[in-house]
Structure formats: C-alpha cells, structure tokens
Amino acid sequence: MPDRVSSTGSAPRSNARVPARTSVALGAAAAARWASRTAGRGKGSMIGGLVAAKIDPQIMRRLAAGKRTAIVTGTNGKSTTTRMTAAAMAELGDVATQADGANMDAGIIATLTLNRDAPFCALEVDELHVPHVSDAVDPEVLILLNLSRDQLDRVGEINMIERRLREGIARHPETTVVANCDDVLVTSAAFDAPDVVWVAAGAGWVGDSVSCPRTGEPIIRTEAGWQSTGDEKFRRPDPQWWFDDEKIYGPGGFSAPLEIAVPGKANRGNATQAVAAAVAMGADPAAAVAAVGTVGEVAGRYGVHQVGNHSVRTLLAKNPAGWQEALSMIDQDADGLVIAVNGQVPDGEDLSWLWDVRFEAFETMQVVAAGERAADLSVRLLYAGAEHTTIPDPMAAIASCPPGRVEVLANYTAFRDLGIALERAARSRKAEQ
C-alpha cells in the first residue's frame, strides 16, 4: 500500500483562493518557520501556527473547509491511534496529520497550513479543545478513546471534561462518533449522539468511573459489562466492533487477523477504533486492518536505542491509567528497568497520583528511580516493596544497569528530555566512528 500520509513537512501549494487576511497569515507563518529553523530553535511548526492564528483567528476553519476530517481524542493513546487512523485512511487519499502529537490549536493549524492540498485529515486533539476544534473543522468522524484523571491543575475534574465533550457532540449531530463502549465516561459523552459506532476497545482502568456521570449513582460491573443503578437505560451498549488476542471483528460478519507492531492490549483496542473510523469514512475493512499493523514507533514511543552496551526501549505514561497500561508492557525478563518522573507544568506538579499506580508489580525486579522527582518515586517504591536505587539523571541510570536490554518508563517531560539525550548520544557515537 503506498504511503499517502502527509505530516508537518514541506507545505504543498494550493490553487484555492483564500481571503487576503488568511494569505497574510500564511506568509507570516512561513516566515516564522524559516526564522525558527535558521535560529536552530526547531522545525518552527508551532510558532508558525501561533503566528497564523494571531493574524487570522478564523484560519483553522478556513483551512479545514472542504476536507473530510477525523478527530481523535481521549486521555491516553491519542498519538498512536491518530497515526493508525491516518494509515487506515490513506487508501482514500492524502491524509494530513500531526507528526509530533501537537494536539492544541497551534499544532492543528500548523498541520492544516503545511498540508493544504490533502483532502483528508486525521487530527489528534486535546480533550479540552475538542468542542471548539470541532466547531472549526466540522469532523466527519470523532473517535473517543477513554477518559480518566489527568493533570488536575490543568484539565480539572474528569466529569467536567465528559460534560464538555457531550455538549460539543450535541452541536454536531451529523458527525459519526466512534466510541469505546467499555469506558463509562466515553459512553456517557456519546450516548445521545444520533450516529454512534460502538467499539469494545477495553477499559483496564475503572477508578474514575465508579459512579454514573449522569445520575451519580453507583456503576455495577458484571462479566457482561456495566450499568448504572440510577438509570436502567444507561448501560454498556452492544459493540459493532471488537477484538481478541488474534482477530478483529466488525459488522456483517467481518473478521481478520489483527497483527500490530506496538505492544499492549490497549493498542489492540486503539487499532480497532482506528479501523472502525476509517471504515466509517469509506475505507475497505481488510485494507484498514493491514494498514494499522504498519504503525510502529510513534514520536519516540516504543522506540529502541543502542546506548553503549544497553539496548534501551522507551515507554511513555502520563497519568494513573496510562501508567497502569504501560507497566503491563514492561518485559519482566529485561536486564534493567529505569522509571523516570519529572514534575514540571506539562506533567502536573502534583505527584500524588504516584500512589494510585501499582508499583508492587516490581517487587521481584530491580528498579532505578530517575528524573527530577526521583526522591518522590523512591518513597513510593519503598512502600511498594520494590527493590530500587535512586539516580536522578536518566542516562546515568541507564548506564548503571547490567549490560543488555533496559526498559525505560517515563512521564511527559522526562520522556522528552530523555529523547533529546538519546539523540545527542547517537550523534556523538556517529561522530566518533
């Protein structure tokens, strides 16, 4: 299958006429990107998007006009599912999508600016931004993955996010919502939508949905699913798509082997939702399943790097639900395990969530606690009974492990900074050769 997925690289030319203000905004964005690259400050996509939006506040709506767009949102798995959705949609035509997970307004505008001729979009969107981004791009499909506690100092309580998503969905009755029926909060957000494709994508973390988001009454869980005790109609819907350890299943008796290149049961659920979304937009089911299987490393996630005598695999986790899933992906037979935690603003400065993560799983595995908040992590590991050492510098922590395979699990800024350090080490190694 040819790769027709575009990302924020070079900007194709478009013959479409745009308002003068938009033309000025596009020119200023291009100049900002050039200046950023020339100054060695990065690719300049984000600054270009910020500049364009400042000059033309309607630029997102204008650039998205006429495109068939799928939006992907949720607390965890957005970047991977967006990449899978873009791959599954690629048989339909060129697909504009973010290369780096920039999922707020500036990143979305940058993607649209740099891919003006692509007739399709697969856009990762932060949960808080979905309502107004949907108003601008009028999505054909909205993928709802999961909802759980994240950075409380930024996003607030999760029930508030569910209500905002529900309100945003109500404004777009023609949008097809591809929703995870195993997630109570996602189901509530999508429940009243006229066109919903229900997917049994799994819900390993249920700590944020013990009560009904609509009535406040308890949620009862059984082997058959879940239901609210306060509203007998609000229960787990029957899925049209689901998966098991070997296959994916869909409407009309469709089934196919589901083989993906990224680890974890959650990613099989992500792949199933990506396929369902692409099919809703007209893709062939079998081709969509094959396409999602080609998605491997996503913005450094699941990447493997050679650092001296260590083969290092990097995993990202940002909140209790994500940590629980990432911990299940750790290879217990690896020669070393480094867990790196920072507490910067993008991570959330309150690390009390560490006590919700089941680090007890490593009571038989040596752990190295790293990152700016290595001491906080060390206390949590101590109470978990996990044997560990504390080395704040992640690269030094990796070097302290026995030779062989090392698993590294990090939160957002720790993961970002480690990626930069690994790239620097790779360049140094090449320079010495």
Side-chain angles (χ1 to χ4, degrees):
M1 179 183 299
D3 183 6
R4 306 183 69 182
V5 178
S6 300
S7 59
T8 49
S10 60
R13 297 182 179 181
S14 173
N15 295 322
R17 299 184 66 178
V18 296
R21 186 167 188 165
T22 305
S23 295
V24 172
L26 292 171
R33 289 195 302 273
W34 176 85
S36 179
R37 290 195 297 267
T38 302
R41 301 296 296 272
K43 297 178 181 178
S45 298
M46 290 293 291
I47 188 63
L50 288 168
V51 168
K54 196 72 174 178
I55 296 172
D56 182 3
Q58 298 299 315
I59 194 167
M60 186 188 300
R61 177 180 61 81
R62 288 171 174 152
L63 293 178
K67 296 183 185 293
R68 298 179 60 192
T69 300
I71 284 179
V72 181
T73 197
T75 307
N76 294 299
K78 291 187 292 290
S79 295
T80 300
T81 307
T82 301
R83 187 69 62 84
M84 288 177 167
T85 302
M89 289 169 54
E91 68 160 297
L92 302 174
D94 291 337
V95 183
T97 192
Q98 298 105 316
D100 54 4
N103 58 27
M104 299 185 191
D105 290 14
I108 294 165
I109 291 169
T111 298
L112 295 171
T113 299
L114 294 168
N115 297 280
R116 289 175 59 197
D117 286 347
F120 295 89
C121 292
L123 299 176
E124 173 184 343
V125 182
D126 179 85
E127 305 94 284
L128 284 173
H129 290 238
V130 167
H132 75 260
V133 170
S134 294
D135 292 343
V137 308
D138 192 19
E140 185 170 333
V141 170
L142 169 62
I143 302 176
L144 295 180
L145 298 172
N146 48 70
L147 289 174
S148 65
R149 276 177 297 139
D150 202 358
Q151 304 156 23
L152 294 180
D153 50 354
R154 181 179 76 85
V155 303
E157 290 293 341
I158 194 61
N159 280 12
M160 181 269 290
I161 302 298
E162 183 274 326
R163 288 193 295 272
R164 289 185 61 175
L165 284 172
R166 197 192 315 176
E167 293 166 0
I169 290 169
R171 295 201 297 268
H172 296 272
E174 295 183 358
T175 296
T176 298
V177 183
V178 177
N180 179 4
C181 65
D182 291 324
D183 188 295
V184 173
L185 291 163
V186 160
T187 301
S188 180
F191 202 69
D192 302 319
D195 184 9
V196 186
V197 176
W198 296 110
V199 181
W205 175 268
V206 298
D208 297 308
S209 56
V210 295
S211 62
C212 176
R214 294 174 170 239
T215 67
E217 297 297 324
I219 291 290
I220 302 299
R221 300 179 187 276
T222 66
E223 291 185 3
W226 55 263
Q227 68 178 70
S228 170
T229 57
D231 181 355
E232 63 179 15
K233 294 182 180 179
F234 185 61
R235 61 177 64 222
R236 179 183 183 268
D238 294 330
Q240 290 114 302
W241 290 86
W242 65 97
F243 69 94
D244 59 24
D245 292 339
E246 297 181 353
K247 292 185 176 182
I248 181 174
Y249 304 89
F254 172 79
S255 68
L258 180 61
E259 299 178 358
I260 59 175
V262 289
K265 183 178 179 180
N267 279 323
R268 294 183 70 79
N270 293 339
T272 303
Q273 288 197 254
V275 170
V279 171
M281 297 188 76
D284 175 72
V289 173
V292 299
T294 66
V295 175
E297 181 179 339
V298 179
R301 298 163 176 83
Y302 320 115
V304 177
H305 310 263
Q306 193 64 38
V307 182
N309 55 5
H310 297 106
S311 177
V312 179
R313 186 175 71 143
T314 54
L315 300 170
L316 171 67
K318 297 176 288 186
N319 46 63
W323 277 86
Q324 176 172 292
E325 184 59 37
L327 290 174
S328 71
M329 299 180 192
I330 295 294
D331 182 359
Q332 298 277 346
D333 294 326
D335 299 290
L337 170 62
V338 175
I339 302 178
V341 174
N342 286 356
Q344 299 179 24
V345 172
D347 308 302
E349 295 173 298
D350 178 3
L351 294 190
S352 59
W353 54 264
L354 283 171
W355 296 89
D356 293 324
V357 180
R358 288 191 53 78
F359 290 109
E360 285 79 4
F362 300 115
E363 60 184 3
T364 61
M365 190 176 187
Q366 176 72 34
V367 181
V368 184
E372 298 169 352
R373 303 292 287 271
D376 298 78
L377 175 60
S378 176
V379 172
R380 175 67 185 98
L381 292 171
L382 178 66
Y383 276 86
E387 184 179 351
H388 67 282
T389 57
T390 302
I391 303 177
D393 180 4
M395 291 296 284
I398 292 170
S400 74
C401 294
R405 293 181 296 112
V406 177
E407 301 278 74
V408 179
L409 178 56
N411 69 345
Y412 183 75
T413 65
F415 185 91
R416 177 200 65 194
D417 295 346
L418 177 61
I420 295 171
L422 289 170
E423 289 180 5
R424 188 182 300 120
R427 287 196 299 268
S428 298
R429 186 168 62 251
K430 288 182 180 179
E432 294 172 357
Q433 292 175 350

